[in-house]
Amino acid sequence: MTDVAAGYAAQLKAEQRELPVATASAARWPKGRTITSASPFATEAGAQAEGARLAAFYAFPMVEDVAIVTGARADLQGRCIAADCTRLDYKPGDLVFVIEARELDNNTTALTVLKRLGA
């Protein structure tokens, strides 16, 4: 067992802080959504960087699609991948975020994905 420094242990036990992240999209869509994300970042700079990444992803409207891919691909859940699905009008290299990967009995996987529009 490794000892944790007293200061770091206190930080881990402390109340969570909210750190607002300003983005250009906030001015474009002032009545947009508010996103709360708990993260394990030890520094404010790390939390700000993660907040900026999330704000950039959610800055545009999104569409949810389901694509069927060959093979057992549950490993894709929670990942951002480059999609190439002509049925969904995706171009090679379009990025999507896989929010669910459900393996089916016929050696395929149904991927529920989020794709940003107007990015």
Side-chain angles (χ1 to χ4, degrees), residues 33-110:
R33 66 179 82 173
T34 299
I35 301 167
T36 303
S37 174
S39 68
F41 294 102
T43 65
E44 184 172 336
Q48 287 286 354
E50 176 64 4
R53 185 190 69 76
L54 286 171
F57 180 78
Y58 288 108
F60 293 89
M62 283 185 261
V63 63
E64 182 178 307
D65 288 320
V66 176
I68 306 296
V69 297
T70 303
R73 298 305 313 260
D75 61 303
L76 295 177
Q77 185 164 325
R79 294 182 54 199
C80 182
I81 62 171
D84 182 4
C85 184
T86 54
R87 182 182 66 81
L88 297 173
D89 199 28
Y90 290 5
K91 297 169 190 61
D94 281 353
L95 295 178
V96 298
F97 185 73
V98 181
I99 58 174
E100 181 183 22
R102 191 169 31 91
E103 293 179 354
L104 307 173
D105 292 336
N106 60 352
N107 195 35
T108 60
T109 303

